[in-house]
Amino acid sequence: MKRIILGCVIALASFTAPLFAGEKCVALMASSPQAGGNEASTFSVTQILDIELTAMFPKSAANKLIGLHVAEIRIYTPKHSLYQSISLPFSADAKRKGEKHRLQNYPELVPLRVLRDLSGSGKPYLGLTASLPVAGTPILMNSMYGTWSAEAFLDGEPFACSPSVKFAINQ
């Protein structure tokens, strides 16, 4: 009986927590190069061209991120609809720079990104950045203003690897 209960607890835990919980992605940060590249929570469409979403990984997890991994950044509108999903193959191994990989639902090979050191910004993390274009997109043309959110998923896991980031896009 104890074995059955223990087996059920282990099975339940595997459905409720992502693999390597707390050891991979710890945060998702929003910023814009046109706003100085610093973390922000509000962006004006009259002052930026795009928003950068950076998945942050603890440096201590670098050895677990040497191989090929895929991060998926899901971006949601103020009405909570999926606006865009961006998949990025990446590695902490700088020797892999220049590799290209085939991703599901992508017609072309996608360049592998090497995690970059964020220590210079005062954060002891490695980062992977995806860009959300704003200028000249439906966001601006359809006045899709309000509070947006984004989540990062790793290696096909069904749960986000960190809390979602919320950011406002306004005029």
Side-chain angles (χ1 to χ4, degrees):
M1 182 69 169
K2 289 180 183 180
R3 287 184 184 173
I4 294 172
I5 292 171
L6 181 58
C8 290
V9 169
I10 292 170
L12 181 59
S14 69
F15 286 114
T16 59
L19 190 60
F20 303 116
E23 293 180 1
K24 282 191 175 184
C25 172
V26 295
L28 195 56
M29 178 181 77
S31 63
S32 176
Q34 296 80 36
N38 297 319
E39 185 174 7
S41 59
T42 303
F43 302 94
S44 169
V45 295
T46 62
Q47 297 175 357
I48 65 162
L49 299 175
D50 54 12
I51 295 172
E52 291 184 339
L53 299 164
T54 302
M56 297 166 52
F57 303 86
K59 280 190 166 185
S60 60
N63 63 338
K64 294 180 181 176
L65 299 169
I66 293 292
L68 173 64
H69 297 276
V70 178
E72 179 188 2
I73 309 292
R74 295 179 191 168
I75 305 162
Y76 299 92
T77 68
K79 293 184 178 182
H80 311 291
S81 298
L82 180 64
Y83 177 77
Q84 186 174 9
S85 173
I86 304 167
S87 292
L88 305 165
F90 74 94
S91 176
D93 185 358
K95 295 175 191 164
R96 299 187 74 157
K97 185 176 183 175
E99 288 183 12
K100 293 186 177 186
H101 294 274
R102 182 154 313 281
L103 297 179
Q104 185 176 358
N105 299 323
Y106 279 69
E108 311 252 340
L109 293 174
V110 179
L112 177 130
R113 297 184 186 203
V114 175
L115 293 176
R116 72 182 202 289
D117 187 4
L118 298 177
S119 297
S121 63
K123 297 176 175 73
Y125 297 108
L126 299 172
L128 175 69
T129 301
S131 184
L132 170 65
V134 176
T137 68
I139 296 170
L140 180 62
M141 295 175 190
N142 296 313
S143 301
M144 297 172 73
Y145 305 129
T147 302
W148 289 64
S149 64
E151 296 178 313
F153 295 80
L154 290 177
D155 298 329
E157 290 286 341
F159 300 96
C161 64
S162 73
S164 66
V165 65
K166 295 193 182 311
F167 54 94
I169 299 176
N170 60 36
Q171 286 184 305

